[in-house]
Amino acid sequence: AQTVTQSQPEMSVQEAETVTLSCTYDTSESDYYLFWYKQPPSRQMILVIRQEAYKQQNATENRFSVNFQKAAKSFSLKISDSQLGDAAMYFCAYRGFVMNRDDKIIFGKGTRLHILP
Amino acid sequence: DGGITQSPKYLFRKEGQNVTLSCEQNLNHDAMYWYRQDPGQGLRLIYYSQIVNDFQKGDIAEGYSVSREKKESFPLTVTSAQKNPTAFYLCASSIDGVGQRANYEQYFGPGTRLTVT
C-alpha cells in the first residue's frame, strides 16, 4: 500500500525567507501524481502545486516550487519570499495513475508552517 | 459559481442522535469523498464514491454511513454508533471517474464542524 510521510510536524520561517517542507512517499507504481495542499486557519483546503511522476521537470507556481526526486521517492515543497499569508498547514498527497473503483488519494499528516514577522 | 457546498458550517447534536451532513457539488465531478479532521491532525478518509449508486469504505468508516443517489450529492450520516463524532468534516470531489487517468486534484468544500455533547 502507498504511504506518504511528512516528517516535520511544525516549522517556522522568517518573513521574506525561503523554507522547504519535506515529503517522502512509498509506492511500487511507476506512474502517479503528487500534490501539495494548503489549509489556512479558515480550514479551506487549497491546491498549491501538482507534479506528474512521468515529468522530470519540477513543477513551479509563482513562489512555490517542488523538488521531485523520483528515485528517492521525495517530493519537497519550497516556498520563496515567505509571506504572512503562507501560514497554514501543508499536506503532501499521492494518487495513482488510473482511477480504479477503490482508488483514493493518500495524504500525509501535515506540516504546520509559522511565518515570523 | 461552481463549487462544493457543505452545510451547515457548525452543527451541534446530543449524544445518541444520528446527524446528516450535507455535501453538494455543481462541478459535474464523478468522484466524491468524505474526510474527518481532528484538531492539529491530518485527513482521514471515511467514505468515497467514484460513481452514482456505488461507494467504498475508507479508513475509518465505522459509525458512519453514506448514500450516492445523485451525482451532485453525497450526504454523510454520523450515527450514534460513532464513539467520538466531534470533529471537523470535509467533503471533496474530483472530476475523474473509474478507468480514467487520475491526474486531477480534489476540490474541497468549506467543511462542517460537528460538536456532540
Side-chain angles (χ1 to χ4, degrees):
Chain A
Q2 296 87 2
T3 59
V4 175
T5 302
Q6 293 179 248
S7 58
Q8 306 148 315
E10 285 194 66
M11 294 188 73
S12 297
V13 62
Q14 210 72 37
E15 194 176 3
E17 297 293 309
T18 295
V19 63
T20 298
L21 279 58
S22 300
C23 173
T24 58
Y25 58 94
D26 189 27
T27 183
S28 58
E29 299 184 20
S30 58
D31 288 317
Y32 46 87
Y33 300 93
L34 297 164
F35 307 90
W36 276 99
Y37 283 88
K38 170 185 177 181
Q39 188 181 38
S42 68
R43 308 195 80 168
Q44 176 70 57
M45 292 281 283
I46 304 162
L47 178 71
V48 175
I49 203 163
R50 171 175 60 213
Q51 175 78 43
E52 290 88 347
Y54 60 87
K55 289 185 177 179
Q56 294 188 343
Q57 187 173 3
N58 289 325
T60 299
E61 287 288 340
N62 300 314
R63 297 183 295 106
F64 298 87
S65 62
V66 298
N67 183 5
F68 174 49
Q69 302 288 330
K70 191 172 184 179
K73 296 181 182 173
S74 171
F75 183 59
S76 60
L77 175 69
K78 186 173 84 170
I79 306 174
S80 304
D81 186 26
S82 297
Q83 300 175 1
L84 294 177
D86 295 333
M89 188 77 129
Y90 286 82
F91 293 98
C92 179
Y94 163 102
R95 86 184 310 186
F97 188 65
V98 176
M99 292 289 290
N100 300 309
R101 182 169 170 266
D102 58 352
D103 180 68
K104 56 186 179 182
I105 191 169
I106 311 297
F107 284 91
K109 292 191 183 301
T111 295
R112 184 169 298 282
L113 179 64
H114 303 279
I115 309 297
L116 307 174
Chain B
D1 261 316
I4 301 176
T5 304
Q6 289 187 246
S7 61
K9 190 169 184 177
Y10 299 97
L11 191 54
F12 298 88
R13 279 294 182 272
K14 294 288 187 186
E15 196 173 327
Q17 293 179 336
N18 290 354
V19 58
T20 297
L21 280 59
S22 166
C23 179
E24 304 276 332
Q25 53 97 0
N26 60 3
L27 300 166
N28 199 33
H29 284 179
D30 284 311
M32 296 186 75
Y33 308 80
W34 273 106
Y35 294 92
R36 171 182 171 136
Q37 189 176 28
D38 293 287
Q41 301 298 311
L43 303 178
R44 291 190 288 171
L45 183 63
I46 305 172
Y47 268 100
Y48 56 111
S49 168
Q50 309 288 22
I51 196 169
V52 174
N53 292 321
D54 187 41
F55 48 82
Q56 305 294 319
K57 290 183 178 180
D59 302 316
I60 55 165
E62 186 175 345
Y64 300 97
S65 66
V66 293
S67 64
R68 187 86 187 276
E69 297 176 1
K70 298 186 295 182
K71 187 176 184 178
E72 59 269 23
S73 178
F74 191 42
L76 173 74
T77 296
V78 185
T79 75
S80 56
Q82 168 49 234
K83 296 197 185 322
N84 187 17
T86 294
F88 184 67
Y89 291 88
L90 277 165
C91 179
S93 71
S94 62
I95 194 171
D96 35 33
V98 176
Q100 298 180 28
R101 279 181 57 179
N103 60 337
Y104 294 101
E105 67 272 20
Q106 291 184 341
Y107 291 78
F108 286 83
T112 293
R113 170 70 182 172
L114 172 65
T115 302
V116 177
T117 57

